[in-house]
Amino acid sequence: MVSLSCGKINDTVEPLLILQENFMKLLKKAFAFTFIFMLSVSGLTGYQVNASEEPKHLDILFTHDLHSHLNSFQTIVDGTQQETGGFARLKTLINEHEKENTDTLILDGGDFSMGTLIQTVYDTEAAELRMLGYLGCDVTTLGNHEFDYTLDYIQKQLSSTGMSGKVVLSNVTNVNTGAHIWAENKIITKKLVTESGKTISVKVGLIGETVPTLAKKRTNYTGVLNGEDIVKNVKKEVPILQKKGADIIVVLAHSGIGEQKPAELDANTGYALTKISGVDAVLCGHLHKDFPDANGTKYDDYPGVNKTTGIVNGKPLVQIENRGASIGMVDLNIGTKNNKPTITGKSTQIRKVNASTEVDPTINAAFGNWTKTFMADSSQILSEVAADTQLQNYFGTMEDNDAIQLLNNIKISYGLQYINKTKTQYKNLPVVAASTYLKYGSSDGEDYIDIQNQFKKANIYDLVSYRTGLYIYKMTG
């Protein structure tokens, strides 16, 4: 037995007590450390999926700026001419992906029309919209070129193809009533089944945005439609969707990535959208360029940008090329936290369409009747071209030529009729015209105007592609 006294502890006892005291201190410290460590781990796992609740992939595939390219086209890639793009090859990529994961949403970011000669039969066939239906498109928004047509016309085409209910356009309203023309936003519920058989019901909220200034090439929407600033509108739509119960919010924007701080009514706002609280993913286009891109982009040095993964400010941001050359993908890992769906992982991917991508036979077969209608329309002979005349612009950037003068003469003829019959107060003024080339060799050796023997309706689109408006200005000085 060890005896203690108020005096000095004997030599044989003192080391034991010191050891016991130090051991208790170490034990307390160890306990405190264990407690803190357990709290830390608990804090981490609280934001992850429990082991029994394995995550499920929800994929979002999207197209953008298809511009009437129902079929593939030739372009220069890495210095060589290659075949790429088109709805038929896009469908193949979509089918291949859905075999990998049936839990996939198919979206389109607008500007599906205007860009090839197929637009000449868009009036009667609306082939582009029908093609979106064939692709299995769940939701589309409208691009600026859809507004090259009148509002009544857009509504008619959407209705005739059964696509009206698939349009989401959040930042365009009726000027007089403030009402949305198409769905302001939308929630799509996806039921994801994990390997263990557990069902995760996730509500995906969709916001659709377009260039707020709308198009002015053919139709003036002043007094008809109002376009709201994209960033302001998304900030307004997020809490609306959250109140409706959206678990995930995706912005489908006919907009490019743009500047870090876009101007009011800017067309390109993608980067700024990633900074909005509540937005989970941003899908972009409009600028006809891929991001992320292994060759580098102007956005790589922006704050918060991971140029390899496409995660920007913690959120997936993808921008894809035009004419069906690319299809964008956002892959979200969905788990549950407190029985509520939550994103536990995310990644992006851009899949390229090239000559090795097979043509989907179903889509290809759909070209049949459209091709007949299109060929009949575009091959219509409007006039004969004299044997000694060649409408070409091989040296168009260096000298005047008959091809550009023909376009100028058409404008002058219309202008003279207009001031002589409608705006007669200007009828004594001379009329001049200015035009630019659409084809001048910028893409490849075939990218020139060369019309001989007959001038067909298709040749009009060698001179002017879009249904542009003709503007007449009175000039002084």
Side-chain angles (χ1 to χ4, degrees):
M1 184 177 72
V2 178
S3 63
L4 299 178
S5 67
C6 295
K8 180 180 177 181
I9 303 174
N10 63 55
D11 293 338
T12 59
V13 175
E14 186 175 17
L16 176 62
L17 289 177
I18 294 172
L19 178 62
Q20 289 177 329
E21 180 182 3
N22 290 343
F23 177 77
M24 291 303 296
K25 287 180 179 179
L26 288 171
L27 188 62
K28 289 178 181 179
K29 288 180 180 179
F31 178 78
F33 175 76
T34 304
F35 182 68
I36 293 169
F37 178 75
M38 289 176 66
L39 283 177
S40 299
V41 171
S42 176
L44 286 171
T45 57
Y47 290 93
Q48 296 177 331
V49 185
N50 295 332
S52 61
E53 299 176 353
E54 70 274 20
K56 180 67 176 175
H57 290 274
L58 171 64
D59 291 337
I60 302 170
L61 298 184
F62 74 101
T63 56
H64 221 298
D65 296 279
L66 293 170
H67 286 298
S68 302
H69 278 74
L70 272 63
N71 219 331
S72 300
F73 61 96
Q74 296 287 328
T75 189
I76 302 297
V77 179
D78 297 329
T80 60
Q81 186 162 299
Q82 297 182 20
E83 191 174 65
T84 186
F87 280 81
R89 285 186 162 92
L90 281 174
K91 179 60 173 172
T92 297
L93 291 185
I94 291 171
N95 289 345
E96 289 175 352
H97 182 80
E98 288 186 320
K99 288 178 182 178
E100 299 171 10
N101 184 14
T102 56
D103 296 317
T104 300
L105 285 174
I106 311 296
L107 310 179
D108 176 76
D111 267 12
F112 44 77
S113 61
M114 297 298 230
T116 72
L117 294 179
I118 200 69
Q119 73 191 48
T120 61
V121 295
Y122 180 69
D123 290 13
T124 55
E125 301 296 325
E128 298 91 334
L129 280 167
R130 296 185 194 279
M131 276 295 174
L132 286 180
Y134 288 140
L135 290 182
C137 182
D138 295 300
V139 166
T140 184
T141 194
L142 302 183
N144 52 297
H145 282 299
E146 272 70 71
F147 289 96
D148 287 343
Y149 298 96
T150 64
L151 176 58
D152 288 344
Y153 183 81
I154 299 169
Q155 291 176 308
K156 177 183 175 183
Q157 295 303 303
L158 288 167
S159 177
S160 68
T161 56
M163 291 293 290
S164 292
K166 294 188 175 183
V167 176
V168 174
L169 191 52
S170 310
N171 69 324
V172 174
T173 54
N174 181 298
V175 165
N176 298 310
T177 66
H180 284 83
I181 311 300
W182 296 279
E184 177 183 356
N185 50 55
K186 191 168 202 169
I187 289 181
I188 296 178
T189 301
K190 297 289 287 185
K191 293 187 180 297
L192 315 180
V193 181
T194 66
E195 291 181 3
S196 64
K198 178 180 178 179
T199 299
I200 302 175
S201 182
V202 56
K203 294 181 178 180
V204 183
L206 294 165
I207 299 171
E209 300 290 326
T210 194
V211 176
T213 53
L214 305 179
K216 295 184 175 66
K217 289 180 179 291
R218 186 184 184 205
T219 304
N220 188 343
Y221 287 97
T222 303
V224 180
L225 297 178
N226 178 61
E228 186 178 10
D229 178 78
I230 294 175
V231 176
K232 286 183 178 179
N233 181 260
V234 171
K235 288 180 178 178
K236 185 168 67 177
E237 292 297 325
V238 166
I240 294 174
L241 279 170
Q242 289 173 332
K243 189 174 181 179
K244 287 182 177 181
D247 301 305
I248 296 167
I249 295 178
V250 177
V251 180
L252 178 61
H254 191 83
S255 178
I257 292 178
E259 302 299 323
Q260 296 181 45
K261 294 182 179 180
E264 181 83 9
L265 300 180
D266 203 321
N268 302 303
T269 60
Y271 178 82
L273 296 179
T274 64
K275 289 193 165 186
I276 297 176
S277 177
V279 169
D280 294 298
V282 180
L283 316 179
C284 286
H286 187 58
L287 294 177
H288 301 177
K289 294 181 179 179
D290 288 337
F291 173 86
D293 189 339
N295 295 320
T297 73
K298 63 177 285 186
Y299 317 111
D300 294 352
D301 295 327
Y302 281 13
V305 170
N306 186 318
K307 64 182 181 181
T308 304
T309 64
I311 303 300
V312 177
N313 296 316
K315 302 167 186 180
L317 171 63
V318 185
Q319 175 181 282
I320 59 173
E321 246 188 298
N322 61 326
R323 301 183 291 179
S326 305
I327 189 166
M329 185 179 88
V330 170
D331 178 13
L332 301 175
N333 287 359
I334 306 297
T336 56
K337 176 189 173 184
N338 300 325
N339 294 319
K340 180 178 173 59
T342 186
I343 298 172
T344 63
K346 49 209 159 192
S347 64
T348 71
Q349 188 180 139
I350 293 177
R351 296 187 178 182
K352 305 296 288 185
V353 177
N354 52 48
S356 65
T357 309
E358 292 184 5
V359 172
D360 179 76
T362 305
I363 296 290
N364 216 30
F367 292 154
N369 292 332
W370 292 329
T371 300
K372 292 176 184 176
T373 305
F374 163 68
M375 290 303 295
D377 182 82
S378 62
S379 61
Q380 180 184 347
I381 298 172
L382 302 180
S383 67
E384 299 291 333
V385 178
D388 60 347
T389 301
Q390 184 179 9
L391 300 173
Q392 54 82 19
N393 69 336
Y394 290 111
F395 300 97
T397 57
M398 295 182 285
E399 61 183 17
D400 290 336
N401 58 78
D402 290 338
I404 200 72
Q405 191 56 50
L406 174 61
L407 187 54
N408 284 332
N409 289 344
I410 292 170
K411 293 179 179 180
I412 290 171
S413 175
Y414 180 86
L416 287 171
Q417 291 181 53
Y418 185 74
I419 64 175
N420 278 292
K421 294 181 179 180
T422 306
K423 294 290 184 179
T424 55
Q425 65 268 38
Y426 303 123
K427 66 180 181 180
N428 294 323
L429 296 178
V431 176
V432 296
S435 302
T436 58
Y437 294 116
L438 285 171
K439 301 172 68 174
Y440 53 93
S442 61
S443 295
D444 54 48
E446 302 295 322
D447 186 39
Y448 288 99
I449 298 169
D450 191 348
I451 304 168
Q452 302 177 52
N453 303 320
Q454 296 172 330
F455 189 90
K456 299 178 180 179
K457 192 170 182 180
N459 295 131
I460 294 175
Y461 297 94
D462 288 328
L463 300 175
V464 55
S465 179
Y466 296 116
R467 295 167 178 259
T468 57
L470 189 61
Y471 295 87
I472 301 177
Y473 297 91
K474 179 183 176 183
M475 301 178 68
T476 60

